[in-house]
Amino acid sequence: KDTPDVVRESEQKRYGEAGLVDRVVAKYAFWVEQKGKLDSMRKEKNDINKEIGKKKKAKENADAEVAKSKAMTEAIKVIEAVVATAEVDMKNEFNKIGNIVHESVPVSD
């Protein structure tokens, strides 16, 4: 994530696929984006649930908030599946990358 050029160079020294590093970086960026969305949605749902609690405590109607909370729960389930799939996909690609080759290791052509 922080030094893709070093990893890319190491993969080239191993005669590996340098494009693999770019794919992992792209999949990581997608996973981070989706995880951020999921966290935001969870926060929003918690805020809605707090509002429901306040309204019920004040004996007010909270039907709209309850419906919104249920909709958020369904949307969260969808995003959770996307995040889980993206994480597995990213890790599968990441595991194909070898260790960084130390500069003292000779590279023979």
Side-chain angles (χ1 to χ4, degrees):
K1 144 186 143 171
D2 295 330
T3 55
D5 293 333
V6 173
V7 178
R8 194 175 295 112
E9 181 181 327
S10 177
E11 280 299 297
Q12 287 172 342
K13 286 180 181 177
R14 292 174 169 275
Y15 301 104
E17 184 184 348
L20 179 61
V21 176
D22 296 327
R23 287 197 311 268
V24 170
V25 169
K27 288 175 188 239
Y28 175 78
F30 177 75
W31 175 77
V32 167
E33 178 188 332
Q34 296 304 312
K35 182 82 168 118
K37 282 182 188 178
L38 178 60
D39 292 342
S40 295
M41 291 173 76
R42 285 179 175 157
K43 181 189 179 315
E44 186 178 341
K45 182 178 184 256
N46 287 339
D47 292 343
I48 292 169
N49 287 340
K50 285 179 187 176
E51 187 65 30
I52 291 170
K54 286 179 186 176
K55 284 195 171 191
K56 286 191 175 190
K57 200 173 198 179
K59 308 260 189 227
E60 295 176 14
N61 185 0
D63 291 342
E65 287 79 7
V66 169
K68 206 175 196 182
S69 178
K70 286 181 182 178
M72 286 296 295
T73 300
E74 294 304 314
I76 286 172
K77 285 180 184 178
V78 171
I79 295 294
E80 282 175 338
V82 170
V83 168
T85 302
E87 184 175 14
V88 168
D89 196 27
M90 172 190 63
K91 286 181 178 180
N92 286 340
E93 290 289 311
F94 177 77
N95 288 335
K96 294 177 185 175
I97 296 175
N99 293 337
I100 305 250
V101 176
H102 192 266
E103 64 257 4
S104 66
V105 175
V107 178
S108 63
D109 291 325

